Amino acid sequence: MEGDCLSCMKYLMFVFNFFIFLGGACLLGIGIWVMVDPTGFREIVAANPLLITGAYILLAMGGLLFLLGFLGCCGAVRENKCLLLFFFLLILIIFLAELSAAILAFIFRENLTREFFTKELTKHYQGNNDTDVFSATWNSVMITFGCCGVNGPEDFKFASVFRLLTLDSDEVPEACCRREPQSRDGVLLSREECLLGRELFLNKQGCYTVILNAFETYVYLAGALAIGVLAIELFAMIFAMCLFRGIQ
């Protein structure tokens, strides 16, 4: 009977570690996407070191979970006590690190607010200056999503650098202008009318709302995935200790 329980525990341990392996692969994929995303997602938050650090942590955690899941599967199949103990200690450290990261993300959530992005845009945006990474990234985002500013075209009334560079002649940057189709290669409906702020020829909706709506499903999915990974890690630690104690 004891041998049957041990065998069952071993295979349950293998299953849980397989899910950890998959979870790590997903986190690793998301981290890589954030770092190399061609639309410039990484650069949109480049002014905030905390967010960039979070992306690197995501990448590191994904890689560790990927490796850890693989090692856990091997330890369960081979019934190696040293490997299981190492697995338990390592997954405990990762579990505590992820829990700490979640708490820090909650504490510093104001860095992802509408007010934060509005402040950064009005302070650093330089219009059509493609040599400036921040401005070029915002232009790419506004063209891709068919939006204008963080809240709408009115944001550029307070964009000090943009107003200075355009000598107050343009109400909005060219990236806010409507295109047909709405892409970088699309044809502007009327550049002159748009730059004068004519509503018919510019995108009126702010990028914050547009992007939030576009990624709302993925945000919930990422949250559910994170909770699932934490739960799987917790069960894996329990199974690892039970299997460790059962091995002679």
Side-chain angles (χ1 to χ4, degrees):
M1 183 67 180
E2 184 178 344
D4 292 337
C5 289
L6 185 62
S7 179
C8 180
M9 195 69 68
K10 180 177 73 172
Y11 288 112
L12 283 174
M13 174 80 174
F14 178 85
V15 170
F16 273 106
N17 277 283
F18 180 71
F19 281 113
I20 290 176
F21 176 82
L22 291 180
C26 289
L27 291 177
L28 189 62
I30 293 172
I32 293 173
W33 174 78
V34 169
M35 301 309 295
V36 302
D37 177 37
T39 61
F41 177 79
R42 178 178 181 271
E43 302 299 342
I44 209 71
V45 292
N48 191 335
L50 181 67
L51 299 178
I52 296 300
T53 302
Y56 281 115
I57 290 175
L58 187 67
L59 199 61
M61 286 295 104
L64 279 174
L65 286 176
F66 184 85
L67 178 62
L68 191 62
F70 177 77
L71 292 176
C73 289
C74 292
V77 172
R78 295 175 64 87
E79 298 183 11
N80 186 303
K81 293 186 75 171
C82 291
L83 189 57
L84 286 172
L85 183 60
F86 175 73
F87 168 82
F88 174 81
L89 293 174
L90 191 56
I91 202 171
L92 178 62
I93 293 171
I94 293 175
F95 179 83
L96 293 175
E98 288 176 339
L99 200 59
S100 301
I103 293 171
L104 286 174
F106 178 78
I107 293 173
F108 292 102
R109 65 190 184 280
E110 65 272 10
N111 287 335
L112 291 174
T113 61
R114 186 187 297 267
E115 290 73 22
F116 168 76
F117 287 114
T118 302
K119 178 183 176 183
E120 293 299 311
L121 178 70
T122 54
K123 182 188 293 186
H124 301 293
Y125 185 71
Q126 299 180 21
N128 293 328
N129 182 7
D130 289 334
T131 60
D132 177 61
V133 175
F134 182 86
S135 302
T137 300
W138 263 107
N139 289 336
S140 179
V141 168
M142 288 190 288
I143 293 172
T144 301
F145 289 94
C147 54
C148 186
V150 178
N151 309 286
E154 63 275 7
D155 286 346
F156 296 101
K157 294 179 180 178
F158 309 101
S160 54
V161 179
F162 170 72
R163 306 304 302 182
L164 181 65
L165 292 175
T166 60
L167 303 175
D168 278 337
S169 60
D170 297 341
E171 293 295 320
V172 294
E174 185 179 304
C176 283
C177 297
R178 290 180 59 189
R179 298 163 184 258
E180 189 60 44
Q182 186 60 50
S183 65
R184 184 169 290 278
D185 296 326
V187 179
L188 296 172
L189 297 185
S190 176
R191 182 178 183 277
E192 293 74 17
E193 294 293 325
C194 171
L195 297 183
L196 290 174
R198 304 286 191 267
E199 292 189 0
L200 186 63
F201 301 97
L202 59 84
N203 297 306
K204 294 178 287 186
Q205 196 166 12
C207 292
Y208 189 88
T209 300
V210 171
I211 294 175
L212 198 64
N213 291 338
F215 288 101
E216 185 175 14
T217 303
Y218 300 101
V219 168
Y220 288 123
L221 182 62
L225 178 64
I227 293 172
V229 168
L230 288 174
I232 290 171
E233 288 174 357
L234 187 60
F235 280 111
M237 285 190 288
I238 295 172
F239 282 125
M241 286 309 298
C242 291
L243 188 60
F244 178 84
R245 295 181 64 181
I247 297 174
Q248 299 300 321

